[in-house]
Amino acid sequence: MPELPSVEIFKNYFDSTSLDQNIIDIVVSNPEILVDTTTQNIKNFKSSRFISSSRYGKYLFAKTSNESFIVFHFGMTGFFKYHHQSKGHTSHSRISFIFENENVLDFEDPRKFGKVSVSKNIPDFVEKKHLGPDALEVDYELFKKMFEGRKGNIKPLLMNQHFLAGIGNLYADEILYQSGIHPLRKADHLHKADFYQLYENMIMVLKKAIEFQDRPRNFPPEFLLSHRYPGGECPNGEKLEIIKVGGRTTYYCPEKQI
């Protein structure tokens, strides 16, 4: 499932292709991906323009010239494709925004787990979805305070979107590896130094993921991501362990992560 870095990359793609163009038509091929809105409500954005975008956690907010937002959640396989209208649409195009210049922005999603909704403003949407602070925007003091009274395993907490928005399975493993923290470590067993390492590495890993275009093979060998596969070895050569944590396949290095 696309995590925060992917959505930031989608945002950059969206900004570079689709802003400040008149929308002359909107084709909703699969209304079932709409949440708390209707095909007609989406089509009401015809004759408007995308004027900016914002990301919060795993959500992308496309602001329109009528001051409302179209909100995209990319599910497991969603992405944007900008192309000339003459190339047509693929069978995976769920919503298409057709611009006056004859180009098209398709929201593509082969498995149809993505969702599209409408919101008047971002804070209301965040509150309605009960999202935690954005993982790239939260400051250290709030981050540390969030763990007060928490007794669960650290990895599921990092992945809980109501606790902290934006981190999924892949980058939770990397953040914990860089911090030397076992994924089953209890949150209330962390020390002050652990919280600081966890916070600093969270910001570092997410920024590096954006820099490396969210492609594990682009990461240097000292990162876990390029070793994170069955039969792989840890960056320092030790055996890579694979366990289930919160129902998710988890990779960790037992000599480094305690």
Side-chain angles (χ1 to χ4, degrees), residues 10 41 58 62 71 102 113 124 131 162 184-185 211 226 228-229 239:
F10 295 155
N41 284 342
K58 299 180 182 181
V71 187
E102 298 184 344
F113 291 147
D124 284 353
L131 298 177
H162 303 308
L184 289 175
R185 187 116 163 247
E211 177 186 344
S226 56
R228 192 180 179 276
Y229 55 87
K239 182 182 178 182

Side-chain angles (χ1 to χ4, degrees), residues 110-129:
R111 298 189 67 180
K112 293 195 286 188
F113 291 147
K115 301 297 178 186
V116 177
S117 54
V118 173
S119 182
K120 285 294 184 182
N121 63 73
I122 297 173
D124 284 353
F125 184 91
V126 169
E127 183 178 1
K128 180 179 178 181
K129 294 292 184 181

Side-chain angles (χ1 to χ4, degrees), residues 17 25 38 60 73 125 129 170-171 183 199 204 220 223 240 245:
T17 60
D25 199 10
T38 64
L60 179 65
H73 188 278
F125 184 91
K129 294 292 184 181
L170 196 70
Y171 290 110
Y199 177 79
M204 180 274 291
F223 284 81
L240 184 69
V245 178

